[in-house]
Amino acid sequence: MIVVLAGGVGAARFLEGVVQVAPPEQVTAIVNTGDDMQLMGLHISPDVDIVTCTLAGVIDQDQGWGIVGDTDQFMQWMSKLGGPTWFKLGDRDLALHVRRSDLLRQGKTLSEIAETFRLALGCPIRVLPMSDDRVETHIVTPVGVIHFEEYFVRHRTQIDVMGVEFQGADMARPAPGVLASIREAEIIVIAPSNPIVSVGTILAVPGIRAALRETAAPVVAISPIVGGAAIKGPAIALMRAQGYAPSALGVAECYRDLIDTLVIDTVDAEFATAIRALGIDVVITDTIMRDAAAKRNLAMVAMGK
Ligand code: FO1
């Protein structure tokens, strides 16, 4: 069994590589739900949807989120009616959100819904939300403490980050199957996701960090920082705000108590010695997932094949 700790787009692309080299039924993704939010009465669960829809082959590949071929009638009418339009939900995506919200109101859990959706959409790997309890990542900024999606999408990250809060995390329980899958894994890979707000949020759920430290399986992380820049998203500002250098070495420091190996990009080879000095093995490869072959290569390297 292969367990992958996953955020959104970067993790989904990495998982596309994993399923090229391993049977999908042996792959479990434990997915960040700290980006989840309530908007217009709907429960939005971006990372779970990104992973599910990417692996099901129905993602809008250009954006990395949303549904392929989607239309925008809903957003157009929302705009006419003076509703919020900063967070785009296409018409097909809307169906997914209405259905999820309805099932939650009927008493279903996020993980039950994730299973229903992945089967309905044809996602071949197991997708486990990190928790069924409400956890929300909030960013401390000069204009107040705002939800991560407001910082990321509404403000387009053009606002200072003073800190990060994982609201609800201390009371959250890992979703059913999360701790067992970590315990029973043959290998655990931390996807090239944001170490602070994607993976950091998963690790903030009590029990998950301890399970990773106790597992007999090797724990391998892939640096999402390449040449001092994030492959996607606001990792640099968030790492700085949390006191980490925005580099492959900073990523190693984020995970130093957890991982056996860090996969870094060839352009970051200069950090290998310093990372090894932390007691972490280093594997150097091309980590940019340009195409299917690059995703496959990264999955092979991370899985030690
Ligand atoms: N990202 C954007 O940049 N703009 C959007 O309007 C947007 C809408 C959206 C709707 C559904 C969904 O599942 C994801 C969506 N995302 C959007 C992506 C999301 O904000 C982030 O990429 C993740 O939360 C970070 O992993």
Side-chain angles (χ1 to χ4, degrees):
M1 297 305 286
I2 301 146
V3 169
V4 177
L5 266 50
V9 180
R13 292 189 172 146
F14 173 68
L15 283 159
E16 288 183 293
V18 173
V19 297
Q20 290 184 61
V21 296
E25 58 280 8
Q26 291 178 13
V27 181
T28 297
I30 298 174
V31 185
N32 169 41
T33 55
D35 295 4
D36 286 27
M37 67 172 170
Q38 312 297 314
L39 190 68
M40 299 178 284
L42 301 172
H43 185 105
I44 320 274
S45 198
D47 287 356
V48 170
D49 286 351
I50 289 168
V51 168
T52 304
C53 291
T54 301
L55 275 291
V58 297
I59 203 79
D60 178 326
Q61 290 278 359
D62 296 333
Q63 296 182 135
W65 51 269
I67 312 294
V68 65
D70 218 342
T71 48
D72 65 352
Q73 295 293 317
F74 169 67
M75 286 322 289
Q76 284 189 33
W77 275 75
M78 191 48 82
S79 169
K80 251 192 245 285
L81 298 170
T85 53
W86 61 270
F87 196 80
K88 307 273 179 263
L89 290 180
D91 300 332
R92 292 174 181 176
D93 210 4
L94 176 64
L96 204 143
H97 287 90
V98 170
R99 183 76 179 132
R100 170 183 290 115
S101 308
D102 197 24
L103 290 170
L104 282 169
R105 274 189 293 272
Q106 289 173 31
K108 299 273 190 246
T109 62
L110 281 177
S111 49
E112 287 167 345
I113 298 166
E115 180 67 5
T116 304
F117 282 12
R118 78 145 186 115
L119 293 172
L121 296 173
C123 166
I125 67 163
R126 189 155 78 130
V127 177
L128 293 180
M130 66 186 196
S131 177
D132 285 335
D133 300 322
R134 189 159 164 174
V135 179
E136 285 188 6
T137 302
H138 285 240
I139 307 295
V140 185
T141 77
V143 299
V145 181
I146 58 175
H147 190 283
F148 171 74
E149 293 295 341
E150 284 200 58
Y151 162 73
F152 186 47
V153 177
R154 193 177 202 166
H155 293 282
R156 309 220 158 272
T157 70
Q158 299 305 304
I159 189 165
D160 286 345
V161 178
M162 294 148 64
V164 180
E165 292 178 3
F166 303 121
Q167 294 185 1
D170 50 350
M171 300 295 285
R173 293 150 302 172
V178 166
L179 297 182
S181 66
I182 293 173
R183 265 196 301 271
E184 289 154 20
E186 280 156 38
I187 180 161
I188 295 163
V189 183
I190 301 180
S193 296
N194 190 311
I196 309 296
V197 293
S198 298
V199 182
T201 320
I202 299 174
L203 298 176
V205 177
I208 296 186
R209 181 179 279 278
L212 286 167
R213 292 178 71 153
E214 284 158 19
T215 183
V219 182
V220 180
I222 302 161
S223 173
I225 307 291
V226 175
I231 296 172
K232 190 179 182 298
I236 299 292
L238 291 162
M239 286 180 73
R240 279 213 179 98
Q242 296 300 87
Y244 293 102
S247 67
L249 180 57
V251 175
E253 274 159 357
C254 284
Y255 297 145
R256 68 181 298 175
D257 60 329
L258 293 177
I259 61 172
D260 302 295
T261 305
L262 183 67
V263 180
I264 65 172
D265 197 88
T266 38
V267 304
D268 292 317
E270 63 188 286
F271 293 109
T273 309
I275 296 170
R276 288 192 182 108
L278 298 174
I280 298 168
D281 285 343
V282 177
V283 178
I284 302 169
T285 191
D286 183 3
T287 62
I288 303 293
M289 295 180 282
R290 287 180 195 86
D291 52 23
K295 290 173 194 169
R296 184 174 196 277
N297 172 64
L298 187 57
M300 298 257 286
V301 170
M303 289 160 60
K305 292 197 176 194

